[in-house]
DNA sequence: ACAAGAAATGAATACGTATACATTTTTGAT
DNA sequence: ATCAAAAATGTATACGTATTCATTTCTTGT
């Protein structure tokens, strides 16, 4: 590999001068500048970012620990995060984390000595959180948060759950079920709490079988749907824990020959880009501002990295209903 | 930052021994091993991958230069690539490249001294290709290829274009339009060639206005659609250059109050995961094996990196029709 | 033409690791 | 107990860069 030393020899200068040409060309005389640049081009020299990181003690790299892309929410956020980081001259190392490989993913990030970590995959009482704070690496969570988090970006999940149920109730539904993810995930937990509060406020009867907490695999969701649809008293409406859940449920409905919304109303939460597609048109709850959570988070993170800014970041975006066509008046 | 030297001091051994504990523990006596491991844990030591890269001259990192995620094809491939790489203990640095930032993206990858590059965004006669080969970094393209490429993975694009047109013809359509991307992209070019061949073989009349080559922005596609729909003799079927094009066109149809397939048949190419969704059900052409192109490519790339394997990789997956519900008999 | 100050360059070093080689310690057969 | 071989450990160096400090070269005002 051709190094700055090789360039220096070729140009008849010292290695330090080559370094200066790259990092502070205003310090070097025009004549030598040209000589060095010529040598760089002749030798096809490309500086080694790893060596640079070593001496400067920063890598210009951010680790992204995202949920899987089959969840369209993470498609939107990943896209926003990677693009904004690129604009700001940060590189993103992405991992799509499942629970099994979680701690491995963290280790990788730590070893790379990334300048910051942006992550979604954290549980409300995750023990990894301690490790993360002790690392002294700036990090921020989006969508989910840990109970002790001081840096996070989310939507108002409680309100989202509340509005979700409220919408169904206002449409005249009395049999409303919930299907959402595990309650050790802050997002699902708060949404579910909001949902239950609305149900209670409007004095709707909510049988135990209508409260379904499941993991996020396609199969588990399908099984939950199947169970729900084979109850004696089956629900006329389902509030899904997220748009991703809603999409799965809509698919399940189709395979069970049920039309949405004619036979069954379904509402999501997140208002992902895909939900606006004309062939889907999912009714959902989403951020009023329409700002992408990933974008908000990466902006803040880069600010934290650059300015050693230590004040908290606790952003909770207000939400509203996006009334589209997967729910209907009873 | 705590380094292996600090650990060495704490454990009362040399730095070399610490290094051995991490990389070849079988060489170190049990007693000292335990001392060192204790010191590592006490100090919360995490090795610096950059320093390691410097001396070992490999980074364990692969650069992914992907197209944007609003194209669902790249959702599927990115997911497969990142996950497989993680399994094989490679890290992925991802960039979603647009044409403006292309050469910048390459530079970034080069500077990081990545072990390999997996990319989609390359033009048929892209001058960057020369640079890439001169770099002596293993690389592979998926989906698209350069005219001189010796390492690529694609579907049989020509055949895909052919089958796409053939399907419409067999459904009884006589007015069949093409809307696809730029012809300096191998993928679009070959698909278009296949399309034209089928049209010719079946002796269909193809007016100039039915051949639309546009860039891949939502707006340009919408404009193309609008033009097409306001022709005196408007087409009854559109062959889209990709599933992504098809999704856009379906959206455009909806906003123009045209139903698919009642008023207009639309077929895509790629058979992306999303196209199978019950609410979309896009008729399309895709790989028979169903193998993900990204997965095929990253497999090959990692093999190339590990085994210094220099023989060519030229994979062209055969295709077939996936007859779903966005086309209908005339 | 000269000195003093500024500008440009070079020499030396540090970053954190892996590894070749040198040295010490341990083992085991006699 | 001795010694050779094997095992374990330590020392020194290299990787490619940025940067501090020392040195040289250039300006400029007299």
């Amino acid at each position: 590999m051709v190094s700055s030393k090789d360039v220096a020899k070729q140009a008849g200068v010292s290695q330090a001068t080559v370094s200066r040409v790259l990092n502070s060309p205003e310090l070097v005389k025009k004549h030598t500048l040209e000589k060095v640049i010529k040598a760089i081009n002749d030798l096809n020299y490309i500086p080694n970012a790893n060596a640079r990181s070593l001496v400067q003690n920063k890598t210009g790299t951010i680790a992204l620990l995202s949920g899987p892309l089959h969840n369209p929410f993470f498609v939107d956020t990943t896209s926003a995060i990677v693009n904004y980081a690129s604009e700001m001259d940060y590189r993103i190392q992405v991992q799509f984390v499942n629970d099994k490989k979680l701690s491995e993913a963290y280790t990788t990030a730590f070893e790379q000595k990334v300048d910051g970590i942006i992550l979604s995959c954290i549980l409300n009482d995750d023990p990894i959180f301690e490790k993360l704070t002790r690392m002294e690496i700036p990090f921020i969570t989006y969508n989910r948060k840990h109970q002790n988090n001081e840096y996070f970006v989310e939507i108002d999940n409680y309100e989202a759950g509340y509005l979700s149920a409220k919408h169904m109730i206002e449409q005249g539904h009395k049999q409303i079920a919930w299907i959402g993810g595990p309650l050790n995930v802050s997002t699902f937990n708060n949404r579910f709490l909001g949902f239950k509060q609305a149900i209670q406020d409007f004095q709707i009867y909510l049988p135990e079988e209508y409260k379904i907490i499941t993991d996020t695999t396609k199969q588990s969701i399908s099984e939950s749907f199947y169970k729900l649809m084979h109850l004696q008293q089956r629900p006329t409406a389902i509030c899904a824990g997220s748009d991703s859940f809603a999409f799965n449920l809509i698919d399940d409905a189709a395979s069970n020959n049920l039309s949405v919304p004619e036979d069954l109303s379904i509402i999501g939460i997140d208002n992902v880009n895909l939900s606006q597609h004309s062939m889907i048109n999912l009714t959902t709850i989403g951020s009023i501002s329409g700002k992408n959570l990933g974008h908000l988070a990466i902006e803040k993170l880069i600010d934290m990295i650059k300015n050693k800014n230590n004040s908290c970041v606790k952003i909770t975006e207000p939400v509203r209903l996006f009334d589209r066509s997967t729910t209907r008046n009873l």
Side-chain angles (χ1 to χ4, degrees), chain A:
Chain A
M1 186 195 312
V2 31
S3 72
S4 57
K5 264 183 206 164
D6 301 325
V7 174
K9 193 183 292 177
Q10 169 98 354
V13 301
S14 73
Q15 180 268 330
T17 298
V18 176
S19 179
R20 274 187 284 259
V21 167
L22 295 171
N23 300 297
S24 39
E26 70 280 5
L27 292 182
V28 35
K29 212 164 52 166
K30 198 172 171 196
H31 176 61
T32 50
L33 189 83
E34 283 163 358
K35 271 197 307 184
V36 171
I37 288 179
K38 180 166 181 335
I40 286 177
N41 291 330
D42 287 357
L43 295 180
N44 199 18
Y45 166 69
I46 292 180
N48 184 324
N50 294 303
R52 179 179 292 160
S53 300
L54 200 57
V55 38
Q56 303 210 96
N57 200 29
K58 61 180 177 190
T59 57
T61 300
I62 291 172
L64 164 59
L65 308 186
S66 168
L69 287 189
H70 58 71
N71 181 339
F73 174 80
F74 292 116
V75 173
D76 297 353
T77 51
T78 299
S79 192
I81 290 167
V82 170
N83 288 334
Y84 182 77
S86 285
E87 263 177 51
M88 304 301 282
D89 286 324
Y90 280 87
R91 279 148 300 289
I92 292 280
Q93 278 206 179
V94 59
Q95 294 185 77
F96 301 120
V97 178
N98 56 26
D99 295 339
K100 265 188 299 185
K101 299 265 177 161
L102 187 61
S103 75
E104 221 174 287
Y106 283 102
T107 306
T108 302
F110 294 152
E111 290 188 348
Q112 300 300 120
K113 306 294 172 188
V114 293
D115 292 346
I117 301 182
I118 177 168
L119 70 157
S120 173
C121 42
I122 195 159
L123 302 179
N124 196 29
D125 56 353
D126 211 317
I128 198 83
F129 185 80
E130 286 307 316
K131 241 188 177 174
L132 209 46
T133 47
R134 239 185 306 131
M135 247 17 237
E136 314 245 349
I137 299 179
F139 73 94
I140 193 167
T141 69
Y142 62 100
N143 194 39
R144 301 185 187 182
K145 67 183 175 189
H146 185 272
Q147 54 197 3
N148 301 331
N149 244 22
E150 299 195 317
Y151 301 90
F152 62 80
V153 175
E154 61 175 2
I155 59 169
D156 188 339
N157 288 305
Y158 183 89
E159 181 72 6
Y162 194 96
L163 291 181
S164 155
K166 182 160 172 256
H167 176 63
M168 290 303 195
I169 295 166
E170 286 175 346
Q171 299 273 74
H173 291 275
K174 304 272 186 228
Q175 289 130 259
I176 307 171
W178 171 268
I179 300 187
L183 299 184
N184 55 358
V185 172
S186 67
T187 322
F188 289 125
N189 188 52
N190 290 327
R191 289 173 184 185
F192 185 46
L193 290 177
F195 168 83
K196 283 194 297 191
Q197 188 61 51
I199 292 289
Q200 189 181 322
D201 285 358
F202 289 90
Q203 304 184 328
I204 303 286
Y205 172 62
L206 180 66
E208 275 307 311
E209 313 88 72
Y210 278 19
K211 296 186 275 189
I212 299 189
I213 304 302
T214 171
D215 64 74
T216 57
T217 61
K218 195 170 177 50
Q219 200 194 338
S220 297
I221 297 173
S222 293
E223 284 167 9
S224 304
F225 182 82
Y226 186 85
K227 258 187 244 166
L228 211 49
M229 286 304 122
H230 285 76
L231 291 175
Q232 291 193 341
Q233 185 87 289
R234 86 180 184 200
T236 61
I238 302 180
C239 293
S242 69
D243 283 359
S244 181
F245 266 86
F247 291 138
N248 275 313
L249 293 170
I250 289 172
D251 255 0
D252 292 332
S255 19
N256 286 280
N257 287 319
L258 294 169
S259 325
V260 177
E262 288 75 12
D263 304 323
L264 183 66
S265 284
I266 295 181
I267 187 173
I269 298 177
D270 277 337
N271 191 27
V272 300
N273 288 337
L274 188 59
S275 67
Q276 303 163 36
H277 192 286
S278 67
M279 294 191 80
I280 297 188
N281 246 309
L282 179 71
T283 303
T284 188
I285 312 289
S287 151
I288 294 177
S289 72
K291 282 182 192 156
N292 180 297
L293 285 189
H295 195 277
L296 284 171
I298 188 72
E299 250 178 5
K300 292 295 176 187
L301 179 62
I302 289 180
D303 183 54
M304 285 159 64
I305 294 173
K306 283 194 166 163
N307 305 323
K308 315 271 179 207
N309 195 336
N310 276 325
S311 58
C312 293
V313 174
K314 298 185 174 189
I315 298 180
T316 302
E317 289 278 303
V319 293
R320 70 171 176 88
L321 171 70
F322 291 81
D323 194 359
R324 294 197 272 254
S325 47
T326 56
T327 56
R328 67 161 192 129
N329 259 302
L330 253 204

